[in-house]
Amino acid sequence: MPQFPIDRYLLPETPVEVPEGFTEVRQSLTAGLPHRVELGAGVHAVLILPTGLARQWLATDPLAVVSSSADDLAPRPAPPSAPPPPALVGRVPLRLVVRQGTRILGSVPLAAGLRRVCPDAGTPADPTGSAPVAVELLVLTWLLHAGTVRGSGDYGSSIVLAWRRADRAVDQFGPPPINQFVWRRRPPAQRVESELGPARLRYRYLLDKKLRRVLP
């Protein structure tokens, strides 16, 4: 069965694998934060942790784990019957700021398995008129200790990413859209329809042909 259209935006339940066409980048965070990760094509990502605190990190054990991708990949327990009481944010806001030179293409939160294209459709145009390099970033794994937040040193912190150019045409194409009148003539047991997003994008699926096609 073809992959569901929004699968790429969902976080996985199993360890993330590098898809075909992506380049994997592994780096140790020995220079502290912010940390620069070179991606290629003149594009780099900067790992930042905006906290606004200093005394807290000075008093913390340097080997204490601040953030880890293992939290995202661990099995999720059953939700409690009653909602928990309100509390402060318990997850640090680690982010990757993707840049081309000094131009910011986008900001990607660290979540295991998250794929994000930078720049997105809402990014304003460059006043100079130059076209940005579009890249797709995939967050794989990371481990951040408190010593890395405080400054340089080898505390065992690391990050693993994957990226690819996202401004190139594909060489594979799906089947042509099925005519809605033909689809309606199929028996109800052999067709499935769903609407996604505010634009009400319709996906219609013929069970007998094992093909999902998008209406024009």
Side-chain angles (χ1 to χ4, degrees):
M1 181 179 295
Q3 185 181 22
F4 196 67
I6 65 171
D7 278 352
R8 61 182 298 181
Y9 300 107
L10 303 179
L11 299 183
E13 296 288 348
T14 57
V16 188
E17 297 182 356
V18 180
E20 183 179 357
F22 280 74
T23 301
E24 183 177 328
V25 179
R26 294 176 175 265
Q27 287 193 359
S28 298
L29 308 179
T30 58
L33 296 182
H35 178 82
R36 176 167 171 155
V37 181
E38 295 292 343
L39 300 178
V43 179
H44 64 274
V46 180
L47 179 64
I48 62 173
L49 176 58
T51 65
L53 303 175
R55 184 174 300 177
Q56 169 187 339
W57 301 113
L58 295 176
T60 304
D61 181 2
L63 297 181
V65 176
V66 176
S67 178
S68 172
S69 56
D71 297 336
D72 288 350
L73 301 176
R76 296 175 175 84
S81 56
L88 296 177
V89 176
R91 179 167 177 156
V92 295
L94 274 173
R95 306 190 70 83
L96 286 164
V97 178
V98 183
R99 304 196 306 180
Q100 180 184 2
T102 58
R103 179 182 185 183
I104 297 178
L105 301 181
S107 178
V108 181
L110 251 63
L114 178 64
R115 292 173 62 169
R116 184 70 56 84
V117 176
C118 297
D120 57 21
T123 302
D126 191 341
T128 63
S130 60
V133 176
V135 297
E136 184 174 9
L137 197 64
L138 169 62
V139 180
L140 295 173
T141 61
W142 73 90
L143 177 61
L144 179 65
H145 292 92
T148 305
V149 180
R150 291 166 49 177
S152 60
D154 190 358
Y155 300 99
S157 302
S158 62
I159 186 170
V160 184
L161 309 171
W163 74 282
R164 72 176 182 92
R165 290 282 296 267
D167 55 358
R168 298 176 180 176
V170 299
D171 56 1
Q172 297 180 355
F173 303 91
I178 185 171
N179 188 282
Q180 58 178 325
F181 300 105
V182 175
W183 183 86
R184 290 174 181 172
R185 288 199 295 266
R186 307 298 300 178
Q190 296 182 357
R191 65 191 189 198
V192 178
E193 180 179 15
S194 62
E195 296 181 353
L196 302 175
R200 302 175 67 86
L201 181 63
R202 294 182 178 179
Y203 285 88
R204 295 186 171 177
Y205 178 39
L206 294 182
L207 300 178
D208 57 342
K209 293 187 177 181
K210 304 298 183 183
L211 292 175
R212 179 184 291 115
R213 300 185 182 183
V214 186
L215 283 181

